């Protein structure tokens, strides 16, 4: 089982992503953060290209 959370500080705009799992090294793939733009967390099937595409689709980058 894997748990992910994405958060944003409304006052500062800071972003953060946290991941907890029984699988080793998921923190290297699950979160995707682009400074000043946004944050995404994917689970089950990690697709790094989709993470980056989500940021671009939303015109966040």
């Amino acid at each position: 089982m894997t748990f992910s959370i994405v958060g944003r500080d409304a006052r500062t705009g800071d972003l953060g992503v946290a991941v907890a799992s029984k699988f080793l090294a998921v923190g290297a793939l699950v979160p995707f953060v682009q400074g000043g733009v946004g944050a995404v967390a994917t689970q089950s099937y990690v697709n790094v290209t989709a993470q980056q595409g989500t940021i671009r689709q939303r015109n966040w980058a």
Side-chain angles (χ1 to χ4, degrees):
M1 189 173 290
T2 301
F3 298 93
S4 299
I5 187 167
V6 177
R8 179 182 176 273
D9 184 308
R11 185 175 52 83
T12 65
D14 288 346
L15 299 169
V17 179
V19 181
S21 181
K22 70 176 186 172
F23 299 103
L24 298 176
V26 296
L29 295 174
V30 170
F32 178 77
V33 179
Q34 187 168 344
V37 179
V40 177
T42 59
Q43 286 184 209
S44 180
Y45 177 76
V46 175
N47 184 332
V48 175
T49 303
Q51 290 172 332
Q52 296 167 357
T54 298
I55 296 286
R56 287 189 201 104
Q57 270 184 348
R58 304 286 187 227
N59 293 322
W60 293 336

